[in-house]
Amino acid sequence: MKKIAFKTLGCRLNQYETDALASRFHSGSYEIVDFNESADIYVVNTCTVTNQSDQKSRQTINQAKRLNENAMVVVTGCMANNYKESLLESKAIDFVVDNERKTSIFSLVEKHFRGEVADPEGFDHDVFSYEAAYKTFHTRSMIKIQDGCDNFCTFCIIPKVRGRAISRPAKEILNNIREVIDYGFKEVVLTGVNIGRYQDEEVNFELLVEQILNLPGDFRLRISSIEPDGFSDRFFELFAHPKLTPHLHLCLQSGAESILLKMRRMYTAKQFRQMGEKLKALYPDFNLTTDIIVGFPGETQEEFDQTVQLANELQFSHIHTFKYSVRTGTRAERMPDQLSEKQKNQRSEVVRQISDHNKRAYYNRMIGKHQRMLIERIGSDGVARGYGENYIPIRLKAKNVTRNTFVDVVLSHLHEGKELEVCAVLASDHINA
Amino acid sequence: MKTDNTHAILSVRHLTATAYVLQMTRRGLGFRAGQHLLLGKSGSIHNREYSVYSGEKEDFFEVLIKEVDDGLVSKQLKKLQPGDHVQIEGPLGFFTIDKDFIENGKFLFVATGSGIAPFHSFTRSYPELNYTLLHGVRKVAEAYEKDHYPKSSHILCTSAEASGDFHGRVTDYLRSHPVSADTHCYLCGNFNMIHEAFDILEQQGVPADQVHAEVYF
């Protein structure tokens, strides 16, 4: 039995695609091993969203060849689209497979081991024909609903490497979700490049979410990362549904109107503020997280301060901070006043501190509240870990709990570890106490 | 070699020494007025975004291009002749009019320079629109094909000479001619104008979701 190892860099969409590929190889009688082990095949699903992502992707490719110099190394993902020519020249890589043909990797590997000529370019483009992933690296099941983006934000390379926006037929999505629920998954996470722009004939994003929520079964749905444009009132109302988790990763990027305009974002800071305030007014414990880019070309101290102010006002419990990095071929590449690394580092550190502060404040505010925890793993110390519906990482010391089940807990106190977590007790014990 | 996204140039119409309209085959591509194309010379790796200038019902695409002093693509495209080819990606974008408002909505279009292109497309596509178009330029000569617009709907704002309908910037005009809150406002052009116009319209009570912007750099 051949051994195959996967490494995913970047976004949840990549994770979904890796999960689906791993499932396909598993059902094809390959043994899936950890990426640090010696394998016959390594699949590196790369990211190219920043310079740092490029670097990590290259390091991972080299790591694969070091682990087993005779192994087959397959490189796919956004870097494969963005730097195809230079990757093809690398001796560490056997196959470069672009995003549009990622689904063909199983057939490509099989062909190669049958001794046939395997050419990635010989497969058709198909971004949705992934099988439902039963073998995943996560407890949550990601579901791809959309690919590509037509927004063309001036900093972003994604439209170039993921192509034009395309939505997966709603019927396929619902079937895919039915399958993963049947496999036993308790949490479904919607993924794509710009999922808010989902449109399959008459079915828009809100309608799709509504249809998913109406599926039978004991599961919950997480929207996760979404661009803040084009929400109707219905979107906000959806969160009243018990199956929809009260958490959104709503990508802000900047709190300055002028920078948002230069980024060519589809909303204003004022509109973003209104969305955040509306969510918090309707659902006081709502967990709002975000992405912020620091050091966009020409970003003044005053503009950065506006971002800081908005981050403080909306109290994002987590901020994924990106230092702006030039992406070849984007409009921002040709913008003047590129900031120094030192300035970007300083601003990044300010945002990181706000994020840490807000996270602590939010978790503290949630102490004493109930959460429905999905148990993801149970350590040898008997501590179960998982997430509540508000996407708070929870530690639970309890007997007779099993992985991939829901338990009702009450949050009790913060736990200072490598990452900040919240300890909990079973709700039944809490009542008894 | 021709690829799938290759389109032939049908004509080049020079409007000023630096502004021109490229007309090219449409090849059946659908589009909505207000969308843009990624356009480059055939075989080149460089392309730029240009709003479609022509209307939805026309069987060709037109784009209005202003040659940029230190630009690359705008200069390359200017040299093209009928029969030459360009590469097109798209049409793309969301700077479009909600069809529910076309019949009865009240529109304000604010453009600077070649930012008039999507408004030309709107008005070619939906002749029944009730609109006012403010076009900000430096000189009257830059009022690209203004005869296309009814005189009562077109206000030329000239900043470098007084021979337009209004002497000053479009934002000066906006300040002195407040807009009613039920107006659907579309802004297209340079960054500073859009940034300023957003604030003015907000102060005049126009809801943010009725203000749409397409920024040109």
Side-chain angles (χ1 to χ4, degrees):
Chain A
M1 187 185 275
K2 291 212 178 322
K3 292 179 178 176
I4 184 165
F6 294 88
K7 186 76 172 184
T8 311
L9 295 110
C11 63
R12 284 180 195 273
L13 182 53
N14 261 4
Q15 285 174 23
Y16 160 83
E17 289 166 348
T18 302
D19 284 350
L21 287 172
S23 268
R24 182 70 192 92
F25 277 94
H26 188 257
S27 63
S29 298
Y30 286 73
E31 183 188 351
I32 295 167
V33 297
D34 190 272
F35 198 81
N36 294 318
E37 291 179 30
S38 180
D40 301 300
I41 308 130
Y42 291 94
V43 178
V44 185
N45 198 355
T46 59
C47 173
T48 192
V49 75
T50 61
N51 289 337
Q52 209 179 6
S53 322
D54 285 344
Q55 254 172 23
K56 278 187 191 166
S57 297
R58 287 186 198 282
Q59 283 165 3
T60 310
I61 294 163
N62 293 332
Q63 184 195 350
K65 209 62 181 177
R66 276 199 307 274
L67 284 162
N68 179 4
E69 61 177 345
N70 297 317
M72 175 202 285
V73 176
V74 182
V75 175
T76 186
C78 292
M79 199 183 178
N81 285 58
N82 206 19
Y83 299 103
K84 194 170 200 168
E85 283 76 20
S86 65
L87 291 173
L88 281 168
E89 286 169 12
S90 167
K91 287 180 180 155
I93 301 167
D94 296 284
F95 293 107
V96 179
V97 182
D98 54 38
N99 276 322
E100 296 82 357
R101 296 183 174 92
K102 204 183 278 184
T103 53
S104 69
I105 288 176
F106 177 76
S107 307
L108 178 83
V109 171
E110 286 276 279
K111 233 177 160 185
H112 173 82
F113 285 116
R114 282 200 304 266
E116 296 172 27
V117 177
D119 175 14
E121 304 286 320
F123 293 91
D124 291 338
H125 284 198
D126 192 343
V127 294
F128 292 130
S129 68
Y130 293 96
E131 290 177 21
Y134 64 90
K135 177 77 184 168
T136 83
F137 302 101
H138 318 275
T139 311
R140 298 183 287 275
S141 177
M142 279 162 277
I143 300 292
K144 182 175 181 177
I145 66 166
Q146 182 274 347
D147 204 340
C149 184
D150 291 345
N151 279 14
F152 283 87
C153 297
T154 56
F155 57 84
C156 187
I157 194 69
I158 297 303
K160 186 179 165 192
V161 293
R162 282 278 180 183
R164 301 287 70 74
I166 177 169
S167 296
R168 187 179 183 189
K171 214 174 179 179
E172 272 185 34
I173 295 169
L174 295 171
N175 283 338
N176 195 174
I177 293 175
R178 281 188 196 101
E179 279 180 278
V180 297
I181 293 169
D182 284 348
Y183 287 148
F185 285 95
K186 302 286 186 200
E187 184 169 316
V188 167
V189 184
L190 300 184
T191 183
V193 175
N194 187 354
I195 61 174
R197 293 278 182 191
Y198 180 87
Q199 193 74 50
D200 174 37
E201 295 180 355
E202 297 303 307
V203 182
N204 63 10
F205 181 70
E206 283 127 344
L207 203 53
L208 177 71
V209 169
E210 219 167 320
Q211 291 179 359
I212 296 169
L213 293 172
N214 288 334
L215 290 174
D218 185 20
F219 73 97
R220 67 188 182 197
L221 177 68
R222 197 174 293 284
I223 291 177
S224 190
S225 185
I226 193 164
E227 295 293 311
D229 51 53
F231 297 154
S232 69
D233 286 344
R234 182 71 192 125
F235 176 78
F236 297 93
E237 290 164 9
L238 286 171
F239 288 94
H241 197 289
K243 280 184 179 171
L244 188 58
T245 59
H247 163 231
L248 268 189
H249 189 81
L250 199 58
C251 306
L252 171 63
Q253 310 305 8
S254 172
E257 301 289 10
S258 45
I259 293 293
L260 290 175
L261 197 53
K262 283 183 187 168
M263 289 177 166
R264 202 185 277 141
R265 301 288 285 171
M266 300 279 176
Y267 54 89
T268 63
K270 188 179 176 189
Q271 285 170 317
F272 191 102
R273 180 180 276 109
Q274 285 168 347
M275 288 177 222
E277 287 171 352
K278 189 169 182 176
L279 283 166
K280 298 220 170 193
L282 287 169
Y283 314 102
D285 293 332
F286 200 91
N287 187 8
L288 202 55
T289 58
T290 198
D291 287 340
I292 285 176
I293 295 174
V294 295
F296 186 79
E299 184 189 58
T300 62
Q301 184 61 44
E302 190 188 347
E303 287 164 332
F304 175 67
D305 290 344
Q306 288 166 12
T307 300
V308 167
Q309 189 185 337
L310 191 50
N312 281 325
E313 276 176 38
L314 292 179
Q315 298 173 18
F316 302 110
S317 78
H318 176 73
I319 303 172
H320 196 155
T321 316
F322 294 88
K323 287 185 289 177
Y324 169 76
S325 62
V326 176
R327 301 283 76 193
T328 306
T330 60
R331 184 60 189 85
E333 182 196 10
R334 291 180 281 125
M335 286 185 180
D337 306 320
Q338 302 279 340
L339 271 68
S340 68
E341 275 307 298
K342 191 179 169 190
Q343 282 173 302
K344 290 181 205 171
N345 285 337
Q346 285 168 343
R347 291 180 185 179
S348 176
E349 178 56 19
V350 171
V351 176
R352 192 191 61 76
Q353 286 180 17
I354 293 169
S355 176
D356 286 353
H357 172 83
N358 287 350
K359 180 178 285 179
R360 186 172 292 274
Y362 177 67
Y363 289 2
N364 262 320
R365 210 171 68 238
M366 294 297 286
I367 299 296
K369 299 199 172 176
H370 285 249
Q371 286 285 285
R372 195 162 190 234
M373 176 187 182
L374 177 60
I375 302 207
E376 296 196 355
R377 62 187 195 277
I378 300 167
S380 52
D381 53 359
V383 175
R385 286 192 170 88
Y387 284 84
E389 62 269 35
N390 288 57
Y391 208 58
I392 295 171
I394 300 174
R395 292 166 63 92
L396 174 72
K397 188 134 191 162
K399 288 174 186 163
N400 303 324
V401 291
T402 21
R403 188 177 176 271
N404 198 35
T405 56
F406 285 122
V407 283
D408 291 323
V409 300
V410 176
L411 303 180
S412 58
H413 60 278
L414 300 190
H415 175 85
E416 310 279 350
K418 197 176 162 195
E419 300 285 336
L420 188 64
E421 295 171 295
V422 183
C423 295
V425 293
L426 288 172
S428 51
D429 293 347
H430 185 74
I431 293 163
N432 294 337
Chain B
M1 193 182 87
K2 281 188 185 182
T3 56
D4 269 343
N5 59 353
T6 303
H7 294 245
I9 298 295
L10 298 173
S11 69
V12 185
R13 201 159 72 243
H14 293 275
L15 307 184
T16 67
T18 55
Y20 57 100
V21 174
L22 272 189
Q23 190 182 87
M24 63 210 96
T25 54
R26 184 162 160 183
R27 296 183 55 189
L29 281 178
F31 96 102
R32 288 194 61 198
Q35 288 192 300
H36 62 268
L37 306 172
L38 278 172
L39 182 68
K41 196 179 151 189
S42 188
S44 168
I45 56 164
H46 300 285
N47 59 21
R48 297 286 185 267
E49 297 155 355
Y50 296 105
S51 296
V52 178
Y53 188 67
S54 47
E56 290 178 0
K57 296 176 192 78
E58 287 160 328
D59 60 2
F60 49 79
F61 276 137
E62 283 185 339
V63 291
L64 167 61
I65 300 175
K66 174 86 166 80
E67 188 181 358
V68 180
D69 282 346
D70 53 353
L72 173 72
V73 176
S74 62
K75 286 187 191 299
Q76 284 178 344
L77 295 175
K78 196 180 180 190
K79 291 177 188 155
L80 295 177
Q81 300 289 324
D84 289 341
H85 289 87
V86 287
Q87 285 170 187
I88 283 178
E89 244 193 272
L92 305 160
F94 307 97
F95 190 66
T96 54
I97 291 181
D98 186 332
K99 299 224 163 164
D100 291 345
F101 299 128
I102 288 173
E103 205 173 322
N104 299 314
K106 187 163 74 172
F107 292 88
L108 172 73
F109 302 144
V110 186
T112 52
S114 59
I116 198 168
F119 305 136
H120 187 270
S121 182
F122 283 163
T123 53
R124 295 285 295 185
S125 304
Y126 321 123
E128 67 273 39
L129 276 183
N130 169 17
Y131 71 93
T132 299
L133 167 63
L134 303 183
H135 188 202
V137 291
R138 291 182 66 252
K139 297 180 176 180
V140 168
E142 294 160 349
Y144 308 126
E145 301 192 311
K146 70 171 179 159
D147 292 341
H148 160 69
Y149 311 95
K151 182 76 190 121
S152 56
S153 299
H154 182 269
I155 296 161
L156 187 69
C157 302
T158 47
S159 59
E161 56 187 30
S163 44
D165 301 312
F166 178 81
H167 184 202
R169 297 177 188 279
V170 285
T171 43
D172 298 328
Y173 184 91
L174 269 182
R175 275 195 198 88
S176 54
H177 297 79
V179 175
S180 63
D182 59 345
T183 311
H184 299 276
C185 302
Y186 285 73
L187 317 172
C188 183
N190 75 59
F191 166 81
N192 290 327
M193 178 278 282
I194 291 179
H195 193 44
E196 209 178 331
F198 248 114
D199 287 346
I200 296 167
L201 292 168
E202 186 188 8
Q203 284 160 14
Q204 293 176 358
V206 180
D209 59 2
Q210 279 172 221
V211 183
H212 310 269
E214 185 83 300
V215 64
Y216 281 14
F217 297 101

